[in-house]
Amino acid sequence: VPGEDGHAAFPSGVPGGTIPADSKLYMIAAPRYEGYWAPICRTILTGEADQTDEFLHRIALEALKAGAAKLTPGTQVREIAGEMKRCLRRFGCRGGASFGNVCGVDVFELDISEDSQEVLSEGMTVFLRTEAMSDSMNSGICWGETYLVTRQGGVRLCGGSSELREVKRDGPGSRK
C-alpha cells in the first residue's frame, strides 16, 4: 500500500483506490512450505529510483547483512536487533521497533527486538526486516529476508533478487 502522503513507505496507507505515481509500495510475501513460513519483504517504487532511494536501499541491505551475521546458536535475539540498529545509525538512518521475527509453524512466533531475552537455536528460521528511514530525507525503504540459523551465521532461504524494483508507465494507462 502506498504511504499516506503518496511518497513515503511508512506509515502504510489504506488498501484500495489508485496508487499515485512516484509512490513506494511496501509488500510482504509469506510463502509456506510443508507447514513452515519463509516471508520476504520488498519496497517497490512506482517511479524511478532517485539517489535517496538507492542510498536507503543499500543501507537496508547492510543492516540485513549485519543481522544475518549474528544468526548463530546461543545468540540473544536482542543482540541481532541492536546490531541492525547500530548499522542504520552509522549511516544516519533509523529503523522501526521490531527487526523481524522468528518464524516457523507460526509466521510470527517471536519479535526480533531489543527487549527480547530469547536465545537462538540451530535450525530456527528468522525473518529479518529493516526499515531504513531518514528524517532529513523524509523517505524510507523496507526490506526483509528469511534466514536459517547456523553456526556460520544466517543462511538466506529465498533465492529472489535483492534489486530495488521500479514499476513504470509504458504509454497511456499501462504498466510495465
Side-chain angles (χ1 to χ4, degrees):
V1 291
E4 289 178 357
D5 65 358
H7 193 265
F10 313 105
S12 294
V14 178
T18 302
I19 299 168
D22 298 321
S23 293
K24 291 186 176 102
L25 306 175
Y26 168 64
M27 300 188 300
I28 294 179
R32 191 171 153 196
Y33 179 73
E34 293 186 9
Y36 292 92
W37 294 92
I40 64 169
C41 173
R42 298 290 186 266
T43 299
I44 309 294
L45 307 174
T46 64
E48 290 190 33
D50 60 23
Q51 288 181 336
T52 299
D53 297 326
E54 296 288 346
F55 171 76
L56 292 173
H57 176 245
R58 282 192 306 274
I59 303 316
L61 294 178
E62 285 295 320
L64 287 176
K65 183 178 173 183
K70 293 287 225 178
L71 294 177
T72 58
T75 300
Q76 284 191 321
V77 168
R78 68 180 179 188
E79 294 176 44
I80 301 159
E83 186 64 28
M84 292 175 73
K85 192 174 191 176
R86 282 188 293 279
C87 180
L88 292 170
R89 284 184 179 160
R90 278 194 299 271
F91 294 99
C93 295
R94 59 184 168 86
S98 173
F99 288 91
N101 49 276
V102 173
C103 56
V105 177
D106 184 357
V107 73
F108 295 111
E109 292 181 3
L110 171 71
D111 261 351
I112 304 295
S113 72
E114 291 182 297
D115 298 329
S116 180
Q117 301 291 320
E118 300 294 324
V119 175
L120 296 179
S121 300
E122 189 165 9
M124 283 180 144
T125 54
V126 176
F127 172 54
L128 293 182
R129 178 189 69 246
T130 186
E131 301 158 350
M133 298 179 281
S134 174
D135 290 327
S136 63
M137 296 175 200
N138 192 27
S139 192
I141 294 285
C142 191
W143 213 264
E145 301 283 353
T146 299
Y147 299 87
L148 182 68
V149 175
T150 72
R151 291 182 184 156
Q152 293 76 35
V155 174
R156 188 172 160 215
L157 295 180
C158 298
S161 169
S162 289
E163 291 179 53
L164 187 58
R165 300 291 180 163
E166 303 166 344
V167 178
K168 297 179 185 177
R169 285 202 176 274
D170 186 28
S174 64
R175 295 274 183 192
K176 282 187 180 177

